[in-house]
């Protein structure tokens, strides 16, 4: 049987691997575009490719949750791709924090670097970052752990560069204050 736009969903629900090949061939550009938009340029192509493969695997395993009466397949797979990519991005952020904390070099006129460098403060730093608001945490991680440019972060959040600079400055000050208090030093 030839797989086409009219029967690929039915065949996919029946476990026909040719139907999976059909959606990979016909929807991979859409999936890559959605994943690439979520992961943006801060991640290597291998992560975009890996996430996309996970999405097609998820579609294969969850095709029975797709209801043709509620909408088109391309909208459903785009939504699956978006949410899977967001989850994947969170996972990569967590890995990045843990892997790069030892190599991190934060520059601040108040010399936050000297506090961060010592290994015994690693856990306190992670806890302090986790205490930030989700927005500030994401900005801080993007800038200092993923080395994303301030302009790119501003574009992602739809704000101007000054707003991001202010959030970063406040975050550095708050982290320094918190870490100094934890270490028992006098301000």
């Amino acid at each position: 049987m030839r797989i086409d736009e009219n029967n690929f969903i039915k065949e996919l629900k029946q476990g026909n691997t040719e139907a999976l090949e059909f959606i990979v061939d016909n929807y991979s550009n859409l999936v890559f575009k959605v994943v690439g938009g979520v992961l943006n340029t801060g991640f290597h192509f291998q992560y975009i490719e890996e996430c996309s493969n996970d999405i097609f695997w998820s579609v294969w395993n969850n095709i029975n949750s797709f209801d043709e009466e509620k909408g088109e397949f391309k909208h459903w797979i785009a939504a699956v791709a978006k949410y899977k990519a967001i989850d994947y991005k969170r996972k990569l952020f967590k890995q990045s924090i843990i892997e790069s904390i030892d190599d991190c070099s934060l520059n601040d006129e108040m010399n936050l670097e000297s506090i961060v460098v010592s290994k015994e403060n690693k856990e306190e730093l992670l806890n302090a970052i986790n205490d930030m608001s989700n927005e500030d945490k994401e900005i801080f991680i993007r800038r200092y752990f993923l080395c994303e440019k301030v302009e790119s972060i501003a574009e992602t959040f739809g704000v101007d560069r000054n707003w991001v600079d202010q959030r970063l400055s406040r975050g550095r000050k708050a982290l320094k204050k918190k870490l100094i208090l934890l270490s028992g030093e006098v301000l």
Side-chain angles (χ1 to χ4, degrees), residues 95-146:
Q95 285 176 349
S96 175
I97 290 171
I98 292 166
E99 291 171 1
S100 67
I101 192 81
D102 292 329
D103 302 328
C104 179
S105 172
L106 300 175
N107 297 318
D108 184 23
E109 61 280 353
M110 302 173 108
N111 199 11
L112 179 58
E113 181 180 359
S114 63
I115 297 169
V116 176
V117 171
S118 72
K119 286 204 178 228
E120 64 230 21
N121 288 330
K122 180 179 175 180
E123 191 171 319
E124 287 90 0
L125 177 65
L126 289 173
N127 289 333
I129 290 171
N130 280 329
D131 288 343
M132 291 178 162
S133 71
N134 286 339
E135 195 172 63
D136 287 342
K137 186 185 331 180
E138 183 173 350
I139 291 169
F140 198 84
I141 290 168
R142 283 173 175 259
R143 179 67 184 122
Y144 295 114
F145 293 97
L146 300 177

Side-chain angles (χ1 to χ4, degrees), residues 29-104:
N29 285 341
L30 172 65
V31 169
F32 272 90
K33 185 175 180 179
V34 171
V35 172
V38 172
L39 295 184
N40 64 38
T41 58
F43 297 96
H44 297 289
F45 181 75
Q46 77 183 48
Y47 295 125
I48 294 172
E49 194 171 57
E50 187 177 314
C51 183
S52 297
N53 289 337
D54 289 348
I55 290 163
F56 287 114
W57 179 249
S58 180
V59 167
W60 172 257
N61 288 318
N62 298 297
I63 189 62
N64 289 324
S65 66
F66 172 67
D67 186 353
E68 293 178 75
E69 293 176 11
K70 291 185 178 179
E72 294 181 45
F73 180 79
K74 71 177 182 180
H75 298 297
W76 182 75
I77 196 170
V80 169
K82 177 182 174 184
Y83 293 111
K84 281 280 188 190
I86 290 169
D87 289 344
Y88 200 81
K89 186 175 188 176
R90 286 183 187 134
K91 181 177 106 177
L92 290 173
F93 273 151
K94 286 178 185 174
Q95 285 176 349
S96 175
I97 290 171
I98 292 166
E99 291 171 1
S100 67
I101 192 81
D102 292 329
D103 302 328
C104 179

Side-chain angles (χ1 to χ4, degrees), residues 27 156 174:
Y27 294 95
T156 300

